[in-house]
Amino acid sequence: MDACAALAESIDRLAARGYSSRRFLKELGRAAGVRRGPLWPFDAASGGRDRLRGRGFRPAVDDDTDGQARHFAGTVAVAARLGGAMTRWLTTHVLRDGPDTADGRLSDEAIEFVRLVRSGELPQSDAAEWVREQLCHAPTGE
């Protein structure tokens, strides 16, 4: 399964609902199995659930597992609640996803995605295309 394409399609569906930016980002986290309510920290700490298993990510952010869509969406869910700096610290020091690893780079992309959506620089209507361009495997190769 092309999980990156499925992630982008999920984002397209969420964007059509007209949520606030905060709600949009939290809803995206549900794609990683991170609930919206008060139990979200338990979901995030346990790694969530792979609802979008598969591949399709660019080599720079692909760790050769089927869980990159979950990783991205889960990191978005955490960054939407705790902010980019705290999320970066957690991914680097707790998860040990260094900036020179595929997971570290994917976390950085998720944190940037949250920043762009929250600031309004990335409208929700363009968010799926951003994921396709930034994260998904290029159809003509890289």
Side-chain angles (χ1 to χ4, degrees), residues 57-59 133 136-142:
F57 287 81
R58 291 183 182 274
E133 290 176 4
C136 295
H137 201 284
T140 58
E142 274 184 82

Side-chain angles (χ1 to χ4, degrees), residues 57-103:
F57 287 81
R58 291 183 182 274
V61 295
D62 186 355
D63 70 352
D64 294 323
T65 68
D66 288 345
Q68 294 305 83
R70 176 198 47 82
H71 182 107
F72 179 81
T75 305
V76 165
V78 173
R81 291 167 171 92
L82 300 181
M86 177 58 82
T87 303
R88 185 167 281 113
W89 185 88
L90 288 169
T91 60
T92 303
H93 293 65
V94 175
L95 298 178
R96 306 249 187 250
D97 292 338
D100 59 339
T101 66
D103 281 344

Side-chain angles (χ1 to χ4, degrees), residues 2 20 40 49 64 78 81 94 102 104 107 110 113 119:
D2 188 337
S20 69
W40 78 265
R49 289 186 309 278
D64 294 323
V78 173
R81 291 167 171 92
V94 175
S107 293
F113 179 84
S119 71

Side-chain angles (χ1 to χ4, degrees), residues 105-125:
R105 288 186 291 272
L106 187 60
S107 293
D108 286 344
E109 292 286 2
I111 292 165
E112 177 66 359
F113 179 84
V114 170
R115 186 193 72 75
L116 291 169
V117 169
R118 281 207 154 152
S119 71
E121 292 176 60
L122 178 63
Q124 291 178 33
S125 59

